[in-house]
Amino acid sequence: MFDVIVLGGGHAGCEAAASAARRGARVGLVTFDATNLGQMSCNPSIGGVGKGHLVRELDVFDGLMAGAADEATIHRRMLNRSKGSAVFGPRVQADRPAYRSAISRMVDEAGVTNVEGEVARMVVVGSHIVGVDLATGDHLACRALVIATGTFLGATLFCGMHRVAGGRVGERSALGLANQFAELGLAEGRLKTGTPPRLDGRTIDWAVLERQTSEPATWSMSALRPARRLPQVDCAVTRTTSETHALIAANFDKSPLFAGVIEGRGPRYCPSIEDKVKRFAERESHQIFLEPEGLGSSDVYPNGISTSLPADVQQAFVRTIPGLERTTITKPGYAVEYAYCDPRRLDARLGHGDVEGLFLAGQVNGTTGYEEAAAQGLVAGLNAAAHSIDLAPVIFDRASSYIGVMVDDLTLHGVTEPYRMMTARAEFRLHLRADNAMTRLGAAAIAASCISDARRNAIEATARAIKLAHDRLTILAPEHELGGTGADKRSLAEWLRRPATRHAALDRLGPLDDALDEAIADADYAPYLERQRAEWQSLDRDRALALPAAFSFAAVPGLSTEMIELLSDARPATIDQAARVRGITPAALSALHFAIAKAA
């Protein structure tokens, strides 16, 4: 008898199991192969813009991903460093075996019981989950069940016209459970994702490529910094060529994507290379990042050429790319199509509205990416434990977390294609920075009773340090002490916002630390946050504002191609109707409102 059973040992499943156990639940984690816990099925990286924010928020609740990423980091880069800190994106390359080993150890340390096997059916009595039946005939009882099957639910792999059942190369598909989901009306449809071929790094001509070195270890994914760090490696950048594109186009007929064999939609922001060549025929080249997969491996991940073309075509087009002319493929790329469920049938706990005790997390909800899956695993695990042992639910608010933004987007709008977290999805993204996750969510993590003493101490110490830093910024200083000529007294926070006095104000504050950096960012963004709140209040007042019948959404500055397509298809008559178009982001709505109000 378990309080909570988690099905699936990927990023969502491991986070769900560990978070439920941290709240005191007896947890069983059922997976085909317990040695594959936390497997990085696709790219060997964690974080990025929007995604790194999710990882930092997970970390506040003692989630596994940030700490495991730090233990396994072999290359780090802060994306968007030239922009404001609100959109900084911490991203690391991880050694695959080291990451998997760290996750496996953390799940074990949480007290989770691993059960190797296949769940054939959920056992539902009335409308209540009471357990699962394994393919062996064994029965496991539980009060709550978290489904975190990733790409394995009714999954099929494609490489050219060859197809085989499976959720990952060499691993089975969860067919029995997929059939039950279809019988119960829980499955919504099918989606698609893919992965590029792996390259033998020993056959790459690194000398002719643009190298990217790892940044100094001045930051980490977790606030509890690792005791030791691995050696760092370089990545490299190359590009496809016109010859690459011609070869790919000549083999479109061998692509399951274009032959109609694959029905599911793939991720818009991570298309296959054949999709790029077809959709963006005017482009002369596409960028490729060559990312080593580990210190003990020669495999290299070519980020940017995900494909399901036949293996021989993959080998041929890879050798048309600069630096890869003699490169050998060690594993061909492939596509995977899988079943997913409509997340609109879930509540803010990620609990299913029709089956009590059933929770869903990860790609089964129509998302894409390790970070999105892990964050959902945290939500589902915390709340599955709450359901099973009578604790308070843990609800994430979109005003204070990207996790809340994602859950709200999924449960309110659902998906028509794999959902990826982006900063544009958050209306208060200036507040939801990667560097202030602990300040934003620390109190909620303590209230959820799911964190260690070390984490609680770090949260409380950070809160004290941030308060002291904010107090320092309220100190008044006359302009003449900061290099000006006037006697006007203002707070250091105000002087920091003025280019003419910023450097002098920083000198006055002395050496910077994390707390002072965060407080300065708060001060820098304060006027913009106030303006943002005013804009949203104005938008709420103008919901009835009419859109001209022949209005061109393509003419609105700041609208992405995706938003233009969604609005053009829906043709909303008012701002209010535009707000209810499925998939419209707050950033898009704000841009549209500004354009209409300006025209009026």
Side-chain angles (χ1 to χ4, degrees):
M1 174 67 190
F2 293 102
D3 296 315
V4 176
I5 289 176
V6 177
L7 173 53
H11 303 285
C14 289
E15 294 287 357
S19 61
R22 290 196 303 273
R23 293 199 88 184
R26 294 167 296 171
V27 181
L29 175 57
V30 184
T31 181
F32 286 144
D33 183 356
T35 64
N36 267 338
L37 293 186
Q39 179 72 267
M40 304 174 86
S41 303
C42 196
N43 57 319
S45 70
I46 297 293
V49 180
K51 291 171 173 283
H53 294 68
L54 289 174
V55 179
R56 290 277 178 84
E57 291 177 2
L58 266 167
D59 184 55
V60 180
F61 289 79
D62 261 344
L64 313 181
M65 181 169 274
D70 283 338
E71 287 190 30
T73 293
I74 56 175
H75 184 99
R76 65 171 49 79
R77 184 167 292 272
M78 185 67 75
L79 306 184
N80 276 352
R81 194 180 281 280
S82 63
K83 300 181 180 179
S85 60
V87 292
F88 282 6
R91 183 182 188 270
V92 301
Q93 294 294 125
D95 180 292
R96 284 188 190 274
Y99 184 87
R100 189 173 64 243
S101 176
I103 289 290
S104 182
R105 187 193 75 246
M106 291 173 178
V107 169
D108 184 61
E109 289 172 351
V112 174
T113 300
N114 290 322
V115 180
E116 287 194 339
E118 178 181 356
V119 170
R121 293 185 68 83
M122 303 179 292
V123 180
V124 183
V125 176
S127 61
H128 298 260
I129 284 286
V130 297
V132 297
D133 289 334
L134 303 184
T136 58
D138 292 326
H139 173 76
L140 302 176
C142 66
R143 294 188 64 193
L145 173 66
V146 179
I147 302 292
T149 47
T151 60
F152 283 75
L153 191 65
T156 304
L157 304 177
F158 297 87
C159 186
M161 292 305 161
H162 177 69
R163 61 197 296 176
V164 62
R168 190 163 52 212
V169 165
E171 297 188 50
R172 292 171 285 171
S173 173
L175 296 176
L177 192 65
N179 291 335
Q180 186 183 19
F181 267 60
E183 292 168 10
L184 296 176
L186 297 177
E188 170 70 6
R190 296 180 72 76
L191 293 172
K192 169 256 177 189
T193 189
T195 193
R198 304 310 193 265
L199 311 180
D200 185 341
R202 297 167 297 186
T203 62
I204 294 174
D205 187 357
W206 296 99
V208 303
L209 299 174
E210 175 191 344
R211 302 295 282 256
Q212 280 191 338
T213 58
S214 181
E215 291 185 359
T218 55
W219 55 269
S220 57
M221 296 301 287
S222 174
L224 304 183
R225 300 187 180 228
R228 69 182 187 89
R229 299 183 187 272
L230 296 180
Q232 301 295 284
V233 300
D234 288 352
C235 295
V237 183
T238 186
R239 302 189 73 91
T240 58
T241 64
S242 57
E243 185 184 356
T244 313
H245 296 180
L247 200 158
I248 290 170
N251 287 279
F252 278 163
D253 61 320
K254 299 176 183 177
S255 166
L257 190 63
F258 300 138
V261 179
I262 294 176
E263 301 172 5
R265 290 193 66 173
R268 176 184 297 265
Y269 297 100
C270 188
S272 66
I273 186 61
E274 53 265 40
D275 204 17
K276 290 179 186 178
V277 170
K278 191 176 184 69
R279 286 169 51 194
F280 309 111
E282 74 284 357
R283 293 195 184 177
E284 296 181 355
S285 67
H286 295 282
Q287 195 170 50
I288 303 167
F289 293 92
L290 301 176
E291 303 169 344
E293 296 208 338
L295 297 176
S297 170
S298 59
D299 279 359
V300 171
Y301 181 94
N303 193 338
I305 55 170
S306 170
T307 183
S308 57
L309 286 165
D312 61 329
V313 177
Q314 294 182 37
Q315 181 64 79
F317 82 65
V318 160
R319 289 190 170 179
T320 66
I321 297 168
L324 308 184
E325 292 87 351
R326 291 182 294 278
T327 294
T328 301
I329 289 177
T330 59
K331 303 184 193 79
Y334 61 90
V336 56
E337 187 183 51
Y338 55 95
Y340 78 100
C341 303
D342 186 353
R344 291 176 297 178
R345 298 173 70 178
L346 306 178
D347 58 26
R349 305 169 306 136
L350 294 184
H352 203 282
D354 299 331
V355 184
E356 189 173 341
L358 177 63
F359 297 79
L360 284 80
Q363 286 180 278
V364 72
N365 286 337
T367 60
T368 181
Y370 305 153
E371 302 83 359
E372 290 86 346
Q376 291 172 74
L378 174 76
V379 177
L382 293 175
N383 286 297
H387 174 85
S388 64
I389 57 177
D390 301 320
L391 300 175
V394 180
I395 306 299
F396 288 81
D397 180 4
R398 68 180 297 130
S400 61
S401 68
Y402 274 98
I403 296 177
V405 170
M406 177 176 63
V407 171
D408 189 58
D409 283 350
L410 292 173
T411 57
L412 181 64
H413 296 296
V415 300
T416 55
E417 60 188 52
Y419 176 101
R420 175 179 178 169
M421 177 48 65
M422 299 179 294
T423 54
R425 297 192 188 278
E427 53 268 61
F428 297 114
R429 56 195 172 279
L430 298 183
H431 172 56
L432 306 182
R433 306 191 310 270
D435 69 341
N436 68 355
M438 190 174 287
T439 300
R440 290 186 279 114
L441 297 172
I446 291 172
S449 299
C450 64
I451 58 175
S452 65
D453 289 342
R455 178 73 58 181
R456 182 180 185 124
N457 291 339
I459 290 171
E460 292 173 344
T462 297
R464 290 191 296 270
I466 294 295
K467 183 181 183 307
L468 289 173
H470 276 292
D471 288 344
R472 291 178 65 188
L473 296 184
T474 64
I475 295 172
L476 296 177
E479 185 180 1
H480 65 79
E481 290 185 7
L482 300 172
T485 57
D488 188 22
K489 280 191 174 183
R490 297 180 181 272
S491 69
L492 288 176
E494 292 179 88
W495 291 127
L496 282 167
R497 289 195 288 266
R498 298 189 174 198
T501 53
R502 184 174 182 86
H503 289 298
L506 287 171
D507 289 342
R508 177 78 170 261
L509 288 167
L512 300 181
D513 56 20
D514 289 345
L516 198 50
D517 276 337
E518 183 179 327
I520 290 170
D522 289 341
D524 288 343
Y525 280 114
Y528 300 100
L529 281 168
E530 197 55 46
R531 185 187 307 168
Q532 197 173 61
R533 291 189 186 97
E535 287 173 357
W536 277 96
Q537 288 169 359
S538 173
L539 190 150
D540 283 339
R541 290 193 301 269
D542 291 344
R543 292 230 168 213
L545 198 63
L547 278 64
F551 185 76
S552 172
F553 294 103
V556 177
L559 281 188
S560 68
T561 301
E562 178 187 5
M563 297 299 107
I564 292 169
E565 289 176 4
L566 292 172
L567 289 165
S568 298
D569 288 344
R571 301 304 311 178
T574 65
I575 291 291
D576 185 57
Q577 288 184 8
R580 289 182 275 118
V581 172
R582 191 173 180 180
I584 291 299
T585 65
L589 195 61
S590 181
L592 178 61
H593 171 249
F594 181 80
I596 295 297
K598 185 178 180 181

